[in-house]
Amino acid sequence: MQAYELIIDAKVNDYPFDIVSAANFRTHKGDTLDPQIVLDQPNISLYCLDHANKQAIFVKTALEIDLLKEPFYFFAQYEAAESLIAVPYDTLHELAQKVEIDPQRIILLYSTGRCGSTLFSHVLNLNERLISFSEPDVFSQLVMLRTSQQASDGQIRELLHDSLMVMCGNAQQQGFERYAFKFRSYVLSLSDLLYQAVPEAKLIFMYRHALTWARSFSRAFGAADDQKLQEQLSRGFRYMIPGVHHHLTQQGQITWPEYLAHMWVSTMQDSRWLLAQGARLACVRYEDLKADPRAVFETSLRHCGLAMPDGGLELTLATDSQKGTAGAQDKKPARALTEGDLRELEHLIQQLDPQLTPHTRLS
């Protein structure tokens, strides 16, 4: 097995919420390292894949940095990275094979986004024996590889499994006994492969009424105009939602309401597929969470084999879980949807899937 250090010459990512990439850093090669350190050292964490060179990229941060306290794990990794470690895929697989984890202690948290999933991740982290990764973005990167057909489903399934195992193995070395992964919404399009990789994992799907979700998502992350949307798509986001990629392939352009419709519908369809497979999936509706958060968290945690936290819940509920980021409640809206946008969105949802309405509830 082999690995080597990458010395960071510069951090060059101008778009902090882009999907992670080895190109976010300019580096030069350093010393050869024992790859076991990515399992053993608590300040080393999996950041992304360098698929062109068939290697995984880990970041090394200062020991005092707690990435788990941040709303977005991948963003905190980038900001705090002091150096990188490159581990070839074959070595990553060998490391993953060494990890012994009960897959029933793994929690996969899927969502539409803008529905309380970041808050749920913070609540999970109130359990001292559990680690919850809030948006480790290597999994989002694998969505891009699948949709763009840069890797086969078999390769992606193996990389999903190895990424999960190595992250769990590192956490296990730190004394954690349960392992939660709160994904970006895009990762639902890989839920079939993740289900094959770890069928025993506990699954949560958090969702929201389509129209209020669209308002919230547009407010936080909306493209201000068609030009901005095209810029986002050209940076790889066309591959993050398979329906969007197919639409662009067929028609060459897409409007913001069409983008939103594909995004919401795809997450709902993927969650229905999991339910149809008999997966251990608990569905959590944002509106129910807002109405009675304690009851919803108690039920959801019980599904995961967990008790309610002994303390800290009230403060966690009272704090904006995405404070200081583009998703914060006090940020200026990126884009406000009109009533016409919302009517169009509702119509588009019906066109894409007649079995869905903005009000659909999952059981």
Side-chain angles (χ1 to χ4, degrees), residues 142-225:
L142 284 162
V143 175
M144 186 181 297
L145 293 177
R146 188 188 201 186
T147 306
S148 62
Q149 299 183 330
Q150 296 181 56
S152 69
D153 279 1
Q155 291 172 315
I156 292 171
R157 182 170 53 249
E158 184 172 280
L159 286 167
L160 286 168
H161 178 268
D162 291 350
S163 298
L164 285 171
M165 290 302 105
V166 167
M167 292 181 70
C168 289
N170 181 283
Q172 186 181 55
Q173 289 290 89
Q174 299 176 53
F176 293 103
E177 298 173 355
R178 293 179 184 268
Y179 320 93
F181 296 81
K182 180 259 180 181
F183 302 121
R184 287 216 236 186
S185 63
Y186 313 114
V187 178
L188 261 161
S189 70
L190 295 179
S191 58
D192 58 328
L193 300 182
L194 278 162
Y195 185 54
Q196 294 170 24
V198 282
E200 303 94 339
K202 304 295 197 306
L203 309 182
I204 300 283
F205 173 59
M206 301 184 70
Y207 68 107
R208 182 173 180 172
H209 185 286
L211 303 188
T212 63
W213 165 83
R215 283 187 187 277
S216 180
F217 183 83
S218 296
R219 180 186 183 280
F221 304 113
D225 50 43

Coordinates of all heavy atoms in Angstrom, one line a residue, residues 142-225:
L142 N -19.5 11.6 -6.7 CA -19.8 10.4 -7.3 C -21.1 10.4 -8.2 O -21.2 9.7 -9.2 CB -19.9 9.2 -6.3 CG -18.5 8.8 -5.8 CD1 -18.6 8.0 -4.5 CD2 -17.8 7.9 -6.8
V143 N -22.0 11.3 -7.8 CA -23.2 11.6 -8.6 C -22.8 12.1 -10.0 O -23.2 11.6 -11.0 CB -24.1 12.6 -8.0 CG1 -25.3 12.9 -8.9 CG2 -24.7 12.0 -6.6
M144 N -21.8 13.0 -10.0 CA -21.3 13.6 -11.2 C -20.7 12.6 -12.1 O -20.9 12.5 -13.3 CB -20.4 14.8 -10.9 CG -19.9 15.5 -12.1 SD -18.7 16.8 -11.6 CE -19.7 17.9 -10.6
L145 N -19.9 11.7 -11.5 CA -19.2 10.7 -12.2 C -20.2 9.7 -12.9 O -20.0 9.2 -14.0 CB -18.2 9.9 -11.3 CG -17.0 10.7 -10.8 CD1 -16.2 9.8 -9.9 CD2 -16.2 11.2 -12.0
R146 N -21.3 9.4 -12.2 CA -22.3 8.5 -12.7 C -23.1 9.1 -13.8 O -23.2 8.5 -14.9 CB -23.2 8.0 -11.6 CG -24.2 6.9 -12.1 CD -25.2 6.6 -11.0 NE -25.8 5.3 -11.2 CZ -26.8 4.8 -10.5 NH1 -27.4 5.6 -9.6 NH2 -27.3 3.6 -10.8
T147 N -23.6 10.3 -13.6 CA -24.4 11.0 -14.7 C -23.6 11.3 -15.9 O -24.2 11.1 -17.0 CB -25.0 12.3 -14.1 OG1 -25.7 12.0 -12.9 CG2 -26.0 12.9 -15.1
S148 N -22.4 11.6 -15.8 CA -21.5 11.9 -16.9 C -20.9 10.7 -17.5 O -20.1 10.8 -18.5 CB -20.4 12.9 -16.5 OG -19.6 12.4 -15.5
Q149 N -21.2 9.5 -16.9 CA -20.7 8.2 -17.4 C -19.2 8.1 -17.4 O -18.6 7.5 -18.3 CB -21.3 7.9 -18.8 CG -22.9 7.8 -18.8 CD -23.4 7.4 -20.1 OE1 -22.9 7.7 -21.2 NE2 -24.6 6.8 -20.1
Q150 N -18.6 8.7 -16.5 CA -17.1 8.6 -16.3 C -16.7 7.4 -15.6 O -15.5 7.0 -15.5 CB -16.6 9.8 -15.6 CG -16.7 11.1 -16.4 CD -16.1 12.3 -15.7 OE1 -14.9 12.3 -15.3 NE2 -16.9 13.3 -15.4
A151 N -17.7 6.7 -15.0 CA -17.4 5.4 -14.2 C -18.6 4.6 -14.3 O -19.8 5.0 -14.4 CB -17.1 5.8 -12.8
S152 N -18.4 3.3 -14.2 CA -19.5 2.3 -14.2 C -20.2 2.2 -12.9 O -19.6 2.7 -11.9 CB -19.0 0.9 -14.6 OG -18.2 0.4 -13.6
D153 N -21.4 1.7 -12.9 CA -22.1 1.5 -11.6 C -21.3 0.7 -10.6 O -21.3 0.9 -9.4 CB -23.5 0.9 -11.8 CG -24.5 2.0 -12.3 OD1 -24.1 3.2 -12.4 OD2 -25.7 1.6 -12.4
G154 N -20.7 -0.4 -11.1 CA -19.9 -1.2 -10.3 C -18.7 -0.5 -9.6 O -18.4 -0.6 -8.4
Q155 N -18.0 0.4 -10.4 CA -16.9 1.2 -9.9 C -17.5 2.1 -8.8 O -16.9 2.3 -7.7 CB -16.2 1.9 -11.0 CG -15.5 1.1 -11.9 CD -15.0 1.8 -13.1 OE1 -15.7 2.6 -13.7 NE2 -13.7 1.7 -13.5
I156 N -18.6 2.8 -9.1 CA -19.1 3.8 -8.2 C -19.6 3.1 -6.9 O -19.4 3.6 -5.8 CB -20.3 4.6 -8.9 CG1 -19.7 5.4 -10.0 CG2 -21.1 5.4 -7.9 CD1 -20.7 6.1 -10.9
R157 N -20.3 2.0 -7.0 CA -20.7 1.2 -5.8 C -19.5 0.9 -4.9 O -19.6 1.0 -3.7 CB -21.5 0.0 -6.2 CG -22.0 -0.8 -5.0 CD -23.0 -1.9 -5.5 NE -22.4 -2.8 -6.5 CZ -22.8 -2.8 -7.8 NH1 -23.7 -2.0 -8.2 NH2 -22.2 -3.6 -8.6
E158 N -18.4 0.5 -5.5 CA -17.2 0.1 -4.7 C -16.6 1.4 -4.1 O -16.3 1.4 -2.9 CB -16.2 -0.5 -5.6 CG -14.9 -1.0 -4.8 CD -14.0 -1.8 -5.6 OE1 -14.2 -3.0 -5.8 OE2 -13.0 -1.2 -6.1
L159 N -16.6 2.5 -4.8 CA -16.1 3.7 -4.2 C -17.0 4.3 -3.1 O -16.5 4.8 -2.1 CB -15.9 4.8 -5.3 CG -14.7 4.5 -6.3 CD1 -14.8 5.4 -7.5 CD2 -13.4 4.8 -5.5
L160 N -18.3 4.1 -3.3 CA -19.2 4.5 -2.2 C -19.0 3.7 -1.0 O -18.9 4.2 0.1 CB -20.7 4.3 -2.7 CG -21.3 5.2 -3.7 CD1 -22.6 4.7 -4.3 CD2 -21.5 6.6 -3.1
H161 N -18.9 2.4 -1.1 CA -18.6 1.5 0.0 C -17.3 1.8 0.7 O -17.2 2.0 1.9 CB -18.6 0.0 -0.5 CG -18.3 -0.9 0.6 ND1 -17.0 -1.4 0.9 CD2 -19.1 -1.6 1.5 CE1 -17.0 -2.2 1.9 NE2 -18.3 -2.3 2.3
D162 N -16.2 2.0 -0.1 CA -14.9 2.3 0.4 C -14.9 3.6 1.1 O -14.2 3.7 2.2 CB -13.8 2.2 -0.7 CG -13.6 0.8 -1.2 OD1 -14.2 -0.1 -0.6 OD2 -12.9 0.7 -2.3
S163 N -15.5 4.6 0.6 CA -15.6 5.9 1.2 C -16.3 5.9 2.6 O -15.8 6.4 3.6 CB -16.3 6.9 0.3 OG -15.6 7.1 -0.9
L164 N -17.4 5.2 2.6 CA -18.2 5.0 3.9 C -17.3 4.3 4.9 O -17.2 4.7 6.1 CB -19.4 4.2 3.6 CG -20.6 4.9 2.9 CD1 -21.7 3.8 2.6 CD2 -21.2 6.0 3.8
M165 N -16.7 3.2 4.5 CA -15.9 2.4 5.4 C -14.7 3.1 6.0 O -14.4 3.1 7.2 CB -15.5 1.1 4.8 CG -16.6 0.1 4.5 SD -17.5 -0.4 6.0 CE -19.0 0.5 5.7
V166 N -14.0 3.9 5.1 CA -12.8 4.6 5.6 C -13.2 5.7 6.5 O -12.6 5.9 7.6 CB -12.0 5.1 4.4 CG1 -10.9 6.1 4.8 CG2 -11.3 3.9 3.7
M167 N -14.3 6.4 6.2 CA -14.8 7.5 7.1 C -15.2 6.9 8.5 O -14.9 7.4 9.5 CB -15.9 8.3 6.5 CG -15.4 9.1 5.3 SD -16.7 10.1 4.5 CE -17.0 11.3 5.8
C168 N -16.0 5.8 8.4 CA -16.4 5.1 9.6 C -15.2 4.6 10.4 O -15.2 4.7 11.7 CB -17.3 4.0 9.3 SG -19.0 4.4 8.7
G169 N -14.2 4.0 9.7 CA -13.1 3.5 10.4 C -12.3 4.5 11.1 O -11.8 4.3 12.2
N170 N -12.1 5.7 10.5 CA -11.4 6.8 11.2 C -12.2 7.2 12.4 O -11.6 7.4 13.5 CB -11.2 7.9 10.2 CG -10.5 9.1 10.8 OD1 -11.1 9.9 11.6 ND2 -9.2 9.3 10.5
A171 N -13.5 7.3 12.3 CA -14.4 7.7 13.4 C -14.3 6.6 14.5 O -14.3 7.0 15.7 CB -15.8 7.9 13.0
Q172 N -14.3 5.4 14.2 CA -14.2 4.3 15.1 C -12.9 4.4 16.0 O -12.9 4.2 17.2 CB -14.3 3.0 14.4 CG -14.4 1.7 15.3 CD -14.4 0.5 14.5 OE1 -13.5 0.2 13.7 NE2 -15.4 -0.4 14.7
Q173 N -11.8 4.8 15.3 CA -10.6 4.9 16.0 C -10.6 6.1 17.0 O -9.9 6.1 18.0 CB -9.4 5.2 15.0 CG -9.0 4.1 14.2 CD -8.3 3.0 15.0 OE1 -9.0 2.1 15.5 NE2 -7.0 3.1 15.0
Q174 N -11.6 7.0 16.8 CA -11.7 8.1 17.8 C -12.7 7.8 18.9 O -12.9 8.6 19.8 CB -12.2 9.3 17.0 CG -11.3 9.8 15.9 CD -11.9 11.0 15.2 OE1 -12.4 12.0 15.8 NE2 -12.0 10.9 13.9
G175 N -13.3 6.6 18.9 CA -14.2 6.2 19.9 C -15.6 6.2 19.6 O -16.5 5.9 20.5
F176 N -16.0 6.6 18.4 CA -17.4 6.7 18.0 C -17.9 5.3 17.7 O -17.2 4.4 17.2 CB -17.6 7.6 16.8 CG -17.3 9.1 17.1 CD1 -16.2 9.7 16.7 CD2 -18.3 9.8 17.8 CE1 -15.9 11.0 17.0 CE2 -18.0 11.2 18.1 CZ -16.8 11.7 17.7
E177 N -19.2 5.1 18.0 CA -19.8 3.7 17.8 C -20.9 3.7 16.7 O -21.4 2.7 16.3 CB -20.4 3.2 19.1 CG -19.3 3.1 20.2 CD -19.8 2.7 21.5 OE1 -21.1 2.7 21.7 OE2 -19.0 2.5 22.5
R178 N -21.4 4.9 16.4 CA -22.4 5.0 15.3 C -22.0 6.1 14.4 O -21.3 7.1 14.8 CB -23.8 5.3 15.9 CG -24.4 4.1 16.7 CD -25.7 4.4 17.3 NE -26.2 3.3 18.1 CZ -27.0 2.3 17.7 NH1 -27.3 2.3 16.4 NH2 -27.4 1.4 18.5
Y179 N -22.5 6.0 13.1 CA -21.9 6.9 12.0 C -23.1 7.3 11.1 O -23.7 6.5 10.4 CB -20.9 6.1 11.3 CG -20.0 5.2 12.2 CD1 -20.4 3.9 12.4 CD2 -18.9 5.7 12.8 CE1 -19.7 3.1 13.3 CE2 -18.2 4.9 13.7 CZ -18.5 3.6 13.9 OH -17.8 2.8 14.8
A180 N -23.3 8.6 11.1 CA -24.4 9.2 10.3 C -23.8 10.1 9.2 O -22.8 10.8 9.4 CB -25.3 10.1 11.1
F181 N -24.4 10.0 8.0 CA -23.9 10.7 6.8 C -25.1 11.5 6.3 O -26.1 11.0 5.8 CB -23.4 9.8 5.7 CG -22.2 9.0 6.1 CD1 -22.3 7.9 6.9 CD2 -20.9 9.4 5.8 CE1 -21.2 7.1 7.3 CE2 -19.8 8.7 6.2 CZ -19.9 7.6 6.9
K182 N -25.1 12.8 6.5 CA -26.1 13.7 6.0 C -25.6 14.2 4.6 O -24.7 15.0 4.5 CB -26.4 14.9 7.0 CG -27.5 15.8 6.5 CD -26.8 17.1 5.9 CE -27.9 18.1 5.5 NZ -27.4 19.3 4.9
F183 N -26.3 13.8 3.6 CA -25.9 14.1 2.2 C -26.5 15.4 1.7 O -27.6 15.8 2.1 CB -26.2 13.0 1.3 CG -25.7 11.7 1.6 CD1 -26.5 10.6 1.9 CD2 -24.3 11.5 1.7 CE1 -26.0 9.3 2.2 CE2 -23.8 10.2 2.0 CZ -24.6 9.2 2.3
R184 N -25.9 16.0 0.6 CA -26.6 17.0 -0.2 C -27.7 16.2 -0.9 O -27.6 15.0 -1.2 CB -25.6 17.6 -1.2 CG -24.6 18.6 -0.6 CD -24.4 19.7 -1.6 NE -23.0 19.9 -1.9 CZ -22.5 20.9 -2.7 NH1 -23.3 21.8 -3.2 NH2 -21.2 20.9 -2.9
S185 N -28.7 17.0 -1.3 CA -29.9 16.4 -1.9 C -29.6 15.5 -3.2 O -30.2 14.5 -3.4 CB -30.9 17.4 -2.3 OG -30.4 18.3 -3.3
Y186 N -28.5 15.9 -3.9 CA -28.2 15.2 -5.1 C -27.9 13.7 -4.9 O -28.1 12.9 -5.8 CB -26.9 15.9 -5.8 CG -27.0 17.4 -5.8 CD1 -26.1 18.1 -5.1 CD2 -27.9 18.0 -6.6 CE1 -26.1 19.5 -5.1 CE2 -27.9 19.4 -6.7 CZ -27.0 20.2 -5.9 OH -27.0 21.5 -6.0
V187 N -27.4 13.4 -3.8 CA -26.9 12.0 -3.5 C -28.1 11.0 -3.6 O -27.8 9.8 -3.7 CB -26.1 11.9 -2.2 CG1 -25.7 10.5 -1.9 CG2 -24.9 12.9 -2.3
L188 N -29.3 11.4 -3.5 CA -30.4 10.5 -3.6 C -30.4 9.8 -5.0 O -30.9 8.6 -5.0 CB -31.8 11.2 -3.5 CG -32.4 11.1 -2.1 CD1 -33.4 12.2 -1.9 CD2 -33.0 9.7 -1.9
S189 N -29.8 10.3 -6.0 CA -29.7 9.6 -7.3 C -28.7 8.5 -7.2 O -28.7 7.7 -8.2 CB -29.4 10.6 -8.4 OG -28.0 11.0 -8.3
L190 N -28.0 8.4 -6.1 CA -27.1 7.2 -5.9 C -27.7 6.3 -4.9 O -27.0 5.3 -4.5 CB -25.7 7.6 -5.4 CG -24.8 8.5 -6.4 CD1 -23.5 8.8 -5.7 CD2 -24.6 7.7 -7.7
S191 N -28.9 6.5 -4.4 CA -29.4 5.7 -3.3 C -29.6 4.3 -3.6 O -29.5 3.4 -2.7 CB -30.8 6.3 -2.8 OG -31.7 6.4 -3.9
D192 N -29.8 4.0 -4.9 CA -29.9 2.5 -5.3 C -28.5 1.8 -5.1 O -28.5 0.7 -4.6 CB -30.3 2.4 -6.8 CG -29.4 3.1 -7.7 OD1 -28.8 4.2 -7.4 OD2 -29.3 2.6 -8.9
L193 N -27.4 2.5 -5.4 CA -26.1 1.9 -5.3 C -25.7 1.9 -3.8 O -25.1 0.9 -3.3 CB -25.1 2.7 -6.1 CG -25.3 2.7 -7.6 CD1 -24.2 3.5 -8.3 CD2 -25.5 1.3 -8.2
L194 N -26.1 2.9 -3.1 CA -25.8 2.9 -1.6 C -26.6 1.8 -0.9 O -26.1 1.1 0.0 CB -26.1 4.3 -1.0 CG -25.0 5.3 -1.2 CD1 -25.6 6.7 -1.0 CD2 -23.9 5.1 -0.2
Y195 N -27.8 1.6 -1.4 CA -28.6 0.5 -0.8 C -28.0 -0.9 -1.1 O -28.0 -1.8 -0.2 CB -30.0 0.6 -1.4 CG -31.0 -0.4 -0.8 CD1 -31.2 -0.5 0.6 CD2 -31.7 -1.3 -1.6 CE1 -32.1 -1.4 1.2 CE2 -32.6 -2.2 -1.0 CZ -32.8 -2.2 0.4 OH -33.7 -3.1 0.9
Q196 N -27.4 -1.0 -2.3 CA -26.7 -2.3 -2.6 C -25.4 -2.4 -1.7 O -25.1 -3.5 -1.3 CB -26.3 -2.3 -4.0 CG -27.5 -2.4 -5.0 CD -27.1 -2.2 -6.4 OE1 -26.0 -2.4 -6.8 NE2 -28.1 -1.8 -7.3
A197 N -24.7 -1.3 -1.5 CA -23.5 -1.3 -0.8 C -23.7 -1.6 0.7 O -22.9 -2.3 1.3 CB -22.7 0.0 -0.9
V198 N -24.7 -1.0 1.3 CA -24.9 -1.2 2.8 C -26.5 -1.3 3.0 O -27.1 -0.4 3.5 CB -24.4 0.0 3.6 CG1 -22.9 -0.2 3.8 CG2 -24.7 1.4 3.0
P199 N -27.0 -2.4 2.6 CA -28.5 -2.6 2.7 C -29.0 -2.6 4.1 O -30.2 -2.3 4.4 CB -28.7 -4.0 2.0 CG -27.4 -4.7 2.1 CD -26.4 -3.6 2.0
E200 N -28.1 -2.8 5.1 CA -28.6 -2.9 6.5 C -28.6 -1.5 7.2 O -29.1 -1.4 8.3 CB -27.7 -3.8 7.3 CG -27.6 -5.2 6.8 CD -26.4 -5.4 5.9 OE1 -25.9 -4.4 5.3 OE2 -26.0 -6.6 5.7
A201 N -28.1 -0.5 6.5 CA -28.0 0.8 7.1 C -29.4 1.4 7.4 O -30.4 1.1 6.7 CB -27.3 1.8 6.2
K202 N -29.5 2.2 8.4 CA -30.8 2.9 8.7 C -30.9 4.1 7.8 O -29.9 4.9 7.6 CB -30.8 3.4 10.2 CG -30.6 2.3 11.2 CD -31.7 1.3 11.2 CE -31.8 0.4 12.4 NZ -30.5 -0.3 12.7
L203 N -32.1 4.4 7.2 CA -32.2 5.4 6.3 C -33.3 6.4 6.7 O -34.3 6.0 7.3 CB -32.7 4.9 4.9 CG -31.8 3.7 4.3 CD1 -32.4 3.3 2.9 CD2 -30.4 4.1 4.2
I204 N -33.0 7.7 6.5 CA -34.0 8.8 6.8 C -34.1 9.6 5.5 O -33.1 9.9 4.8 CB -33.5 9.7 7.9 CG1 -33.3 9.0 9.2 CG2 -34.4 10.9 8.1 CD1 -34.6 8.6 10.0
F205 N -35.4 10.0 5.1 CA -35.6 10.9 4.0 C -36.4 12.1 4.6 O -37.5 11.9 5.0 CB -36.3 10.2 2.9 CG -36.7 11.2 1.8 CD1 -35.7 12.0 1.1 CD2 -38.0 11.4 1.4 CE1 -36.1 12.9 0.1 CE2 -38.4 12.3 0.4 CZ -37.4 13.0 -0.2
M206 N -35.8 13.3 4.5 CA -36.5 14.5 4.9 C -36.9 15.3 3.7 O -36.1 15.4 2.7 CB -35.6 15.3 5.8 CG -35.1 14.6 7.0 SD -34.1 15.6 8.2 CE -35.4 16.7 8.8
Y207 N -38.2 15.7 3.7 CA -38.7 16.4 2.5 C -39.6 17.5 2.9 O -39.9 17.7 4.1 CB -39.4 15.4 1.6 CG -40.7 14.8 2.2 CD1 -41.9 15.2 1.7 CD2 -40.7 13.8 3.2 CE1 -43.1 14.7 2.2 CE2 -41.8 13.3 3.7 CZ -43.0 13.7 3.2 OH -44.2 13.2 3.6
R208 N -40.1 18.3 1.9 CA -40.9 19.5 2.2 C -41.9 19.7 1.0 O -41.6 19.3 -0.1 CB -39.9 20.7 2.3 CG -40.5 22.0 2.7 CD -39.4 23.0 3.0 NE -40.0 24.3 3.3 CZ -39.3 25.3 3.8 NH1 -38.0 25.2 3.9 NH2 -39.8 26.5 4.1
H209 N -43.0 20.4 1.3 CA -43.9 20.8 0.3 C -43.1 21.5 -0.8 O -42.3 22.4 -0.6 CB -44.9 21.8 0.9 CG -46.0 22.2 0.0 ND1 -45.8 23.2 -1.0 CD2 -47.3 21.9 -0.1 CE1 -46.9 23.4 -1.7 NE2 -47.9 22.6 -1.1
A210 N -43.4 21.1 -2.1 CA -42.6 21.6 -3.2 C -42.5 23.1 -3.3 O -41.4 23.6 -3.6 CB -43.1 21.0 -4.5
L211 N -43.6 23.8 -3.1 CA -43.6 25.2 -3.4 C -42.8 26.0 -2.3 O -42.1 26.9 -2.6 CB -45.0 25.7 -3.6 CG -45.8 25.1 -4.7 CD1 -47.1 25.8 -4.9 CD2 -45.0 24.9 -6.0
T212 N -43.0 25.6 -1.0 CA -42.3 26.3 0.0 C -40.8 25.9 0.0 O -39.9 26.7 0.3 CB -42.8 26.0 1.4 OG1 -42.7 24.6 1.7 CG2 -44.3 26.5 1.5
W213 N -40.5 24.7 -0.4 CA -39.1 24.2 -0.6 C -38.5 25.1 -1.7 O -37.4 25.6 -1.6 CB -39.1 22.8 -1.1 CG -37.7 22.4 -1.6 CD1 -36.6 22.0 -0.9 CD2 -37.4 22.4 -3.0 NE1 -35.6 21.8 -1.8 CE2 -36.0 22.0 -3.1 CE3 -38.1 22.6 -4.2 CZ2 -35.3 21.9 -4.3 CZ3 -37.4 22.5 -5.4 CH2 -36.0 22.2 -5.4
A214 N -39.2 25.3 -2.8 CA -38.6 26.1 -4.0 C -38.4 27.5 -3.6 O -37.3 28.1 -3.9 CB -39.6 26.0 -5.1
R215 N -39.2 28.1 -2.8 CA -39.0 29.5 -2.3 C -37.7 29.5 -1.5 O -36.9 30.4 -1.6 CB -40.2 29.9 -1.4 CG -41.4 30.4 -2.2 CD -42.4 31.0 -1.2 NE -43.7 31.3 -1.7 CZ -44.0 32.4 -2.4 NH1 -43.0 33.3 -2.6 NH2 -45.2 32.6 -2.9
S216 N -37.6 28.5 -0.5 CA -36.4 28.5 0.4 C -35.1 28.2 -0.4 O -34.1 28.9 -0.2 CB -36.7 27.5 1.4 OG -35.6 27.4 2.3
F217 N -35.2 27.3 -1.3 CA -34.0 26.9 -2.1 C -33.5 28.1 -2.9 O -32.3 28.4 -3.0 CB -34.2 25.7 -2.9 CG -33.0 25.2 -3.7 CD1 -32.0 24.4 -3.0 CD2 -32.8 25.6 -5.0 CE1 -30.9 24.1 -3.7 CE2 -31.6 25.2 -5.7 CZ -30.7 24.4 -5.0
S218 N -34.5 28.7 -3.6 CA -34.2 29.9 -4.5 C -33.6 31.0 -3.7 O -32.7 31.7 -4.1 CB -35.4 30.3 -5.2 OG -35.8 29.3 -6.1
R219 N -34.2 31.2 -2.5 CA -33.7 32.3 -1.6 C -32.3 32.1 -1.2 O -31.5 33.1 -1.2 CB -34.6 32.4 -0.3 CG -34.2 33.5 0.6 CD -35.0 33.3 1.9 NE -34.7 34.4 2.8 CZ -33.6 34.5 3.6 NH1 -32.7 33.5 3.6 NH2 -33.3 35.5 4.4
A220 N -31.9 30.9 -0.9 CA -30.5 30.6 -0.5 C -29.5 30.4 -1.6 O -28.4 30.9 -1.6 CB -30.5 29.3 0.4
F221 N -29.9 29.7 -2.7 CA -29.0 29.2 -3.7 C -29.4 29.5 -5.1 O -28.8 29.0 -6.0 CB -28.7 27.7 -3.5 CG -28.2 27.3 -2.1 CD1 -29.0 26.5 -1.3 CD2 -27.0 27.7 -1.7 CE1 -28.6 26.1 -0.1 CE2 -26.6 27.3 -0.4 CZ -27.4 26.6 0.4
G222 N -30.5 30.3 -5.3 CA -31.0 30.5 -6.6 C -30.1 31.2 -7.5 O -29.3 32.1 -7.1
A223 N -30.1 30.9 -8.8 CA -29.4 31.6 -9.8 C -30.2 32.9 -10.1 O -31.4 32.9 -10.4 CB -29.3 30.8 -11.1
A224 N -29.6 34.0 -10.0 CA -30.2 35.3 -10.1 C -30.9 35.5 -11.5 O -31.9 36.2 -11.6 CB -29.3 36.5 -9.8
D225 N -30.3 35.0 -12.5 CA -30.9 35.1 -13.9 C -30.4 33.9 -14.7 O -29.6 33.1 -14.2 CB -30.4 36.4 -14.5 CG -28.9 36.7 -14.4 OD1 -28.2 35.7 -14.7 OD2 -28.5 37.8 -14.1

